[in-house]
Each structure stands twice: as structure tokens, then as C-alpha cells.
Amino acid sequence: MIDEKREKFIIPIGPQHPALKEPGHFEFTVDGEIVTAASVRLGYAHRGIEKATESRNWTQNMYLLERICGICSHIHALAYCLGVEKLAGVSAPPRAQAIRVIVAELERIHSHLMWLGVAAHEAGFDTLFMYSWRDREALMDVLESLTGNRVNYSANLIGGVKFDISTDQRDTILRALETLEERSKHYLSIVTSDMVFLRRTRGIGTTSAAQAEKIGLVGPTARASGVARDVRVDAPYAAYVDFPVKLVLHTVGDLESRFVVRINELFESYRLIREILDHMPEGEITARIPRRIKEGETISRVEAPRGELFYFIKSNGSDMPERIKVRTPTMCNMASVPVLGIGQQLADIPMILAGIDPCFSCNDRTTVIHQGEDGDVWTWERLRQHGIDFYRGQP
Amino acid sequence: MRMGAMFTDVIRALFQRPATRQYPFERTASPDRLRGKLNWDAEKCTGCSLCVKDCPAQALEVFMVDKANKRVVLRYHLDRCTYCAQCVVSCRQSALTMAHDEWELADTDKKLFTITCGDDADVQRLADLAPKGVNEQT
């Protein structure tokens, strides 16, 4: 006879489009409508980019790394360029750093507005989704006229940027910001006052500051729980040294506060871009950089729209890197989904997942598959032998 | 707390023009900085191949068909190009530029994506130099 009390009901979600249009597999054990256990399996979008960087030169790698993420492409290239410049002992001119920050902040605005739409869509609030994306289009036009592309801007060069900002473009940016600021205020009032929407966000997936610290959350997800963590403030890079940003914090830690933090960050970005445009440093926009980078290793940290983005770069003195390691913010934030999901309604899970602003493709660079209870740890020797055997078997 | 916070937006939108455009019937001018099809100036090119070295997509090939007279032929693979403009930046002679108005480059014939640019005589010389059939494949 089946013991009904001990039987578990597991709902598998994904890997095809689990709430979002990216691959990831989730298993939720449910008791009625309430989730009692959850697990995440990632790695479906693993592309071997880190390995590919080892067979391309420093310049080519910038474009490869830019394509790790379609939404935050500029920040990847920026983290890489800052790291390589540090290794080479060259720093980009102040005007180039200012332009880099302007593009990074424009990218943050577009990313946050996009998230606002996606998260609203997950909550079933498609009106907000449609209108926020319509307004985001104004920003995409600005990015296109400024950099020459809507998505992979390719604004960076190792040692500077590709283009300058003219007076006309400055006016275009300011005009777009004016409209966006007004709209953002409107959206902030909607997400904090619409009764139906608040039932999906207020008090759902609440993360305390202690919990956020323990899981290791980063970016706006951590700041919504009152954890003061922002690389732009903690370790300013590029033009953030001269143009400091104000930390945006909220203390509640539920989904509503994640909306509030991200929209308030938009206002901070608008302010910062205006300030930089008003006090643009004069001078060159590129510095000369050698084709071969000095031997050494370095780390580079930047604040991507989703949180801390980390690069480790090692050079052996040739024109190609020896090793590049990337850790994206989604990797850190993803751990919160199985933890926060427990005890919630199954219907709230997509919102909790969308609440961290996940980006699966950014995230998938290592796959660890646990076999058995204790997992399976491979020694370096065993991994090396596996590699030799694998390639020996190839035609 | 209120109900239907976006109701006014929806009503207002009824009396506004649609935000979308009826492309391809309605076109807007592309921005000046848009990175479109690559253009090459044979007179300026010295055949240094810096563009080939830096291209992240292996979209360029440079052939020196006559070293003494510095005759160069460039083969451009439109289908591999990621339109990053690194070659334009790398070129010290400013021989490469990207057209901002040529961006509708899709086609059903794959052969059209491999463009061999240069003087007609030089292109012919390249074809003679290479073994038969190899040119079309690379």
C-alpha cells in the first residue's frame, strides 16, 4: 500500500522557457500549492567562451566577451578592458572613461526598464510590460545613434573608446532622459500603488539582510534587502571616481522593494549621466596599447545592471590571454531562488525567479553535475586524463 | 492603493499614433554611426593585414597579388562579419569605412556574401594564382 503522507509530488519546470525565454531546469516539490523543496539545474546555454578566449588575441577577445550577454554587453567589454589596461599599465584618458560610464549607465537604464517589463509580464500585468518597453525604445534609439548599434554597442577599445560624444548627441541624450524620467516616476507610482499588482509583489519572497548576506546576493537584489553593496561605490572604477553615485537602498526585501530599488536606480542613472555630460573632461579618447600584454594576472570588478561582474585575467606575455575567468551576477543571485521559493505558492515562483533579474546565458560557463549523495569531485589528474582520452577518441 | 493604475495610459493611447512603424513600407533614416557594409579603398591599402589579425570573426582576407607594385585584393565575407568596426579602427591608412545606409544585406544566394574587392586585373590575377575551385570555397 502506498503511504500517501510520504509520497512527494515534484513539478519539473524547464529546461524550455521556465517562465523566462531562457533555458534552466527547476524541480519544485509541492504540498498542494505550497512549495516544500526546490532545486535548480543550469548549464544548458554553456558555450565554452572562456576556453575560446585562449585562442584569440586580446582585441578579438573583447568582441567575444561582449557577446556573453546581449543585455549587458558593454559592461562585459568594460570589465575586460579595465583588466587588460591594468595588466598593461596603461589607463584610458579621462574623456574615454566618462564616455564608458555614460554608455554603461544608458545600458543600466535599458536593462532595468526591460526587467520592469519582464517582471510585470510574469505577474500578468502586460499593460505595464507593453508601455515600459515602448518607452525603452527611446533609449535604444539613443544608444543606436551614439554607438552605431542597438545591442552589441562595441563602444570600447582596449585603451579607450571608439567615438566621441558631439553636442548634438548630448542634446539627444538629454531630451530622451527627460521623457524617461517623467515616465519612470509614473511607473514608480504604479508599482507602489496598483492594488492588484501589489498582491503579487508585497510580502512575496522576502529576503532579510542577514539572509541576503548568507546567500551572497549582489546588485539591486541585495540592495532591496538593505545590503549596501555596489562596486561603483565600494571600489569606484573608470569615471565613477570623479562622478560618485549614490547608493540606492530599500530595507523590506520583498519583490515590491526590488521594483522600488531598480526604478530608483534609474533616477540615479539619469542624474549621473546629466552630471557627466555637464562636466565632460576634455582631451583624447584613446591611449596607445601594446599588442602583447605584459606577463601577470589581475582581477577586474564592475557593477553590471544585475550586480557585481568579476573578471580574472592572466597573461603569459603573448598576444593572447592564458586564462580568463568570468563570474556573472546571476550566478550569485540564482542561489536565492530555491531558498526563497520554499513556503511560497507555486504561482509566485515565476515572480521570485524574475525578481533576481536572471540572465541564464551570462551565467552558464561551468557545469557541476552531482552524482550520488556526496557529489563527485574530480582531481586535476583525473580531469587531465579524461581530456586526453576524450581527444584521443576523436577522429 | 488604487485599482487600474494604468487605465488612463490605455485610454490616452487610443488617441495617439501607434509607436510601431510599418517597415518596410515606412522607413526612417539610419543614424550616421550605424555600422553597415564594409567599404575598402584599394588605393590607400598597403596590405599590412592588421585588419585580418584583429577581426574577431575571420571575415577578412588580404591577398598581396603583386608585391613590387603593392597590388592588394581584399576578400570580405559579409556573412561572417559581426559589424564591430574593429578593422576600421585598426586600419592605419584609413582604407576601411562602414556604410551607415547599407544594412539590409540579407539574401538567399550564399555566393553573394563573399565579396572580392580590388582592381579587375588584380582580382583576375588572384583567380589565376589560386588552384581552380579553391577561391569559391574560402
Side-chain angles (χ1 to χ4, degrees):
Chain A
M1 202 180 119
I2 302 164
D3 184 356
E4 280 188 1
K5 278 190 179 158
R6 299 193 70 186
E7 208 178 12
K8 287 192 285 185
F9 195 82
I10 299 172
I11 298 183
I13 299 176
Q16 279 87 10
H17 298 182
L20 299 153
K21 312 286 176 288
E22 288 194 84
H25 180 70
F26 299 84
E27 275 181 9
F28 296 103
T29 310
V30 290
D31 179 11
E33 280 291 315
I34 305 296
V35 175
T36 55
S39 75
V40 182
R41 159 122 197 236
L42 301 168
Y44 295 97
H46 182 76
R47 292 164 290 174
I49 284 184
E50 283 177 15
K51 186 68 191 165
T53 57
E54 292 164 22
S55 55
R56 282 165 172 79
N57 69 31
W58 293 101
T59 310
Q60 290 172 323
N61 274 331
M62 195 181 74
Y63 299 100
L64 180 68
L65 293 166
E66 201 173 44
R67 279 156 181 79
I68 285 180
C69 181
I71 306 163
C72 39
S73 62
H74 173 77
I75 206 81
H76 275 272
L78 179 57
Y80 171 74
C81 287
L82 288 172
V84 177
E85 284 160 18
K86 213 197 290 177
L87 270 181
V90 181
S91 94
R95 194 174 174 88
Q97 301 282 29
I99 294 170
R100 282 173 170 183
V101 167
I102 289 174
V103 180
E105 289 303 320
L106 286 172
E107 184 180 68
R108 191 182 315 279
I109 297 167
H110 115 70
S111 176
H112 281 1
L113 280 174
M114 197 191 84
W115 172 83
L116 175 70
V118 172
H121 171 66
E122 295 304 333
F125 196 0
D126 274 2
T127 322
L128 180 55
F129 161 53
M130 291 289 179
Y131 284 88
S132 63
W133 278 40
R134 180 197 68 183
D135 297 333
R136 172 175 162 268
E137 229 20 65
L139 195 81
M140 301 305 280
D141 288 343
V142 167
L143 278 166
E144 192 185 22
S145 68
L146 191 62
T147 66
N149 210 342
R150 277 167 60 95
V151 183
N152 291 309
Y153 323 114
S154 297
N156 281 295
L157 283 175
I158 301 174
V161 286
K162 279 207 186 100
F163 53 80
D164 207 344
I165 295 179
S166 66
T167 326
D168 279 356
Q169 278 161 338
R170 181 178 165 270
D171 296 340
T172 319
I173 299 173
L174 291 174
R175 259 200 314 275
L177 292 190
E178 212 168 292
T179 332
L180 283 168
E181 188 161 25
E182 200 181 301
R183 294 302 296 173
S184 307
K185 277 181 194 155
H186 180 51
Y187 293 137
L188 184 63
S189 90
I190 287 166
V191 299
T192 51
S193 70
D194 190 277
M195 211 159 81
V196 183
F197 191 60
L198 280 177
R199 293 205 54 176
R200 297 297 314 271
T201 57
R202 193 167 277 178
I204 308 285
T206 312
T207 328
S208 65
Q211 220 175 357
E213 284 279 8
K214 195 179 165 208
I215 301 170
L217 296 184
V218 292
T221 318
R223 293 195 282 276
S225 299
V227 179
R229 188 176 286 166
D230 189 328
V231 185
R232 294 175 295 167
V233 177
D234 302 336
Y237 52 92
Y240 292 114
V241 185
D242 304 321
F243 302 98
V245 277
K246 215 168 72 225
L247 198 71
V248 179
L249 275 182
H250 207 261
T251 44
V252 185
D254 58 357
L255 287 174
E256 187 198 357
S257 56
R258 291 183 185 175
F259 275 92
V260 173
V261 161
R262 287 201 175 93
I263 296 177
N264 278 330
E265 271 184 19
L266 292 178
F267 297 120
E268 183 56 17
S269 293
Y270 301 144
R271 184 200 63 78
L272 189 71
I273 294 170
R274 285 195 187 113
E275 196 187 319
I276 298 177
L277 284 173
D278 285 346
H279 304 96
M280 270 296 259
E282 292 299 324
E284 289 289 306
I285 54 164
T286 46
R288 280 193 70 85
I289 199 122
R291 286 193 73 82
R292 290 171 185 276
I293 304 294
K294 279 188 285 195
E295 197 177 329
E297 53 184 60
T298 188
I299 59 162
S300 165
R301 298 197 301 154
V302 294
E303 184 76 10
R306 291 164 180 72
E308 182 190 316
L309 175 66
F310 174 96
Y311 266 68
F312 167 80
I313 304 165
K314 188 178 179 186
S315 169
N316 53 11
S318 73
D319 63 345
M320 288 180 193
E322 183 161 301
R323 177 82 174 98
I324 291 180
K325 166 79 196 140
V326 186
R327 195 197 62 193
T328 50
T330 305
M331 198 72 194
C332 311
N333 288 337
M334 191 55 89
S336 72
V337 176
V339 178
L340 296 179
I342 294 169
Q344 301 285 344
Q345 298 264 351
L346 186 65
D348 285 330
I349 296 292
M351 274 299 275
I352 291 173
L353 177 61
I356 65 161
D357 196 1
C359 181
F360 291 71
S361 302
C362 301
N363 170 19
D364 287 347
R365 42 194 54 72
T366 325
T367 317
V368 180
I369 299 167
H370 287 293
Q371 291 173 346
E373 293 269 302
D374 306 323
D376 193 10
V377 179
W378 283 29
T379 60
W380 180 247
E381 258 318 300
R382 192 177 157 197
L383 190 66
R384 189 172 165 270
Q385 195 53 48
H386 174 78
I388 293 168
D389 294 343
F390 179 82
Y391 283 107
R392 199 165 275 164
Q394 299 283 309
Chain B
M1 291 266 236
R2 55 188 169 144
M3 286 281 275
M6 289 205 78
F7 196 63
T8 44
D9 291 71
V10 178
I11 298 295
R12 205 174 299 146
L14 284 174
F15 304 101
Q16 279 172 348
R17 283 187 61 219
T20 47
R21 277 177 227 120
Q22 296 297 324
Y23 176 84
F25 309 109
E26 194 186 326
R27 287 162 187 273
T28 43
S30 53
D32 292 340
R33 279 190 187 163
L34 189 112
R35 302 189 294 263
K37 192 178 167 186
L38 190 70
N39 289 325
W40 177 67
D41 188 342
E43 295 311 310
K44 285 183 185 169
C45 183
T46 57
C48 72
S49 295
L50 214 57
C51 50
V52 180
K53 275 185 202 147
D54 280 348
C55 178
Q58 283 97 45
L60 293 171
E61 288 175 90
V62 167
F63 302 97
M64 184 69 91
V65 285
D66 184 355
K67 231 174 192 175
N69 298 315
K70 286 220 162 165
R71 304 305 303 173
V72 186
V73 171
L74 178 99
R75 188 170 291 146
Y76 172 45
H77 297 274
L78 207 65
D79 49 347
R80 295 187 204 161
C81 184
T82 56
Y83 304 93
C84 67
Q86 178 60 43
C87 51
V88 178
V89 178
S90 292
C91 186
R92 289 179 187 161
Q93 318 300 330
S94 308
L96 293 164
T97 45
M98 278 190 147
H100 76 95
D101 47 0
E102 276 181 90
W103 53 272
E104 289 162 306
L105 304 167
D107 213 301
T108 47
D109 187 0
K110 267 193 163 185
K111 278 186 191 144
L112 297 173
F113 294 139
T114 305
I115 302 167
T116 311
C117 349
D119 195 65
D120 286 344
D122 294 336
V123 173
Q124 190 53 47
R125 209 176 317 176
L126 178 71
D128 297 341
L129 281 172
K132 237 185 154 137
V134 171
N135 259 351
E136 278 70 39
Q137 280 167 21
T138 47

